[in-house]
Amino acid sequence: MTTERIAPPLIAGEREMLRAFLDYHRATLAMKCDGLSDEDLRRQSMPPSTLSLLGVVRHMAEVERTWFRRVINGEDIPLVWSDDGDYQVAYDASAATRSEAFDAWQTEVGHSRRIEEEAKSLDVTGHQPRWGEDVSLRLVMLHLNHEYARHNGHADFLREGIDGTVGA
């Protein structure tokens, strides 16, 4: 499978630009995983870290769920992989499969897109209990762009370590 990644527009309104960059980063993570076996996707970076490409995908499912469904939409739901709210559980993908991780991630991305599209504006707010503060949809979209950019950097190094593939 080859992931299609559409470049964000150079000129656009704020919301369109945030949405386009977020989708660009989502596609980048998927591209970093293209063509790899489950075993390759589970390959860990270096001890003691459990970081792997599947771990990053699982983590980003948690991030999408937390910020869009739990914070902006106010849904009272657990994390995908931890009923105790332990975000580190997602990184341990030692027994995970591509289909399990990608199905969960793509499901959460679908929810995130729907919530964002249904929101009246970027000024819609939700409560982030870990911060004890209300946050805007604008902040959530910026935060997710930051999260993806950061973890896509990890994905670059992980992929290079697996098969030497480098590049954007």
Side-chain angles (χ1 to χ4, degrees):
M1 178 180 99
T2 302
T3 301
E4 179 183 6
R5 182 176 66 173
I6 298 170
L10 300 177
I11 299 171
E14 179 184 20
R15 193 165 184 173
E16 181 184 352
M17 188 74 75
L18 287 169
R19 184 183 295 146
F21 267 93
L22 190 49
D23 281 339
Y24 180 84
H25 284 302
R26 288 168 173 150
T28 299
L29 179 56
M31 283 176 54
K32 292 298 171 182
C33 299
D34 282 350
L36 296 176
S37 68
D38 284 8
E39 181 181 341
D40 288 335
L41 291 168
R42 285 189 297 265
R43 189 179 302 176
Q44 297 175 353
S45 59
M46 69 177 81
S49 175
T50 61
L51 188 65
S52 67
L53 284 168
L54 272 187
V56 172
V57 170
R58 287 166 46 107
H59 173 71
M60 292 313 298
E62 298 288 29
V63 170
E64 295 268 1
R65 174 178 277 222
T66 295
W67 285 97
F68 283 97
R69 294 180 71 186
R70 296 174 72 180
V71 172
I72 293 297
N73 226 31
E75 295 179 37
D76 184 17
I77 55 175
L79 296 177
V80 180
W81 286 281
S82 171
D83 291 335
D84 300 327
D86 182 355
Y87 287 86
Q88 296 305 307
V89 171
Y91 283 120
D92 182 4
S94 56
T97 64
R98 171 192 293 274
S99 62
E100 170 259 345
F102 273 81
D103 287 351
W105 177 51
Q106 290 166 347
T107 295
E108 294 307 323
V109 167
H111 286 297
S112 298
R113 285 183 175 132
R114 176 187 49 79
I115 291 164
E116 183 272 320
E117 288 170 3
E118 290 175 358
K120 291 181 183 179
S121 78
L122 293 173
D123 295 323
V124 166
T125 61
H127 187 73
Q128 173 43 287
R130 290 181 77 191
W131 294 0
E133 299 281 342
D134 287 348
V135 297
S136 69
L137 177 59
R138 177 181 291 102
L139 178 132
V140 168
M141 293 184 75
L142 285 166
H143 183 74
L144 261 76
N145 271 292
H146 162 81
E147 281 274 331
Y148 274 102
R150 178 173 170 237
H151 291 301
N152 282 340
H154 298 140
D156 285 338
F157 286 119
L158 289 162
R159 180 63 189 252
E160 185 177 7
I162 292 167
D163 66 2
T165 299
V166 296

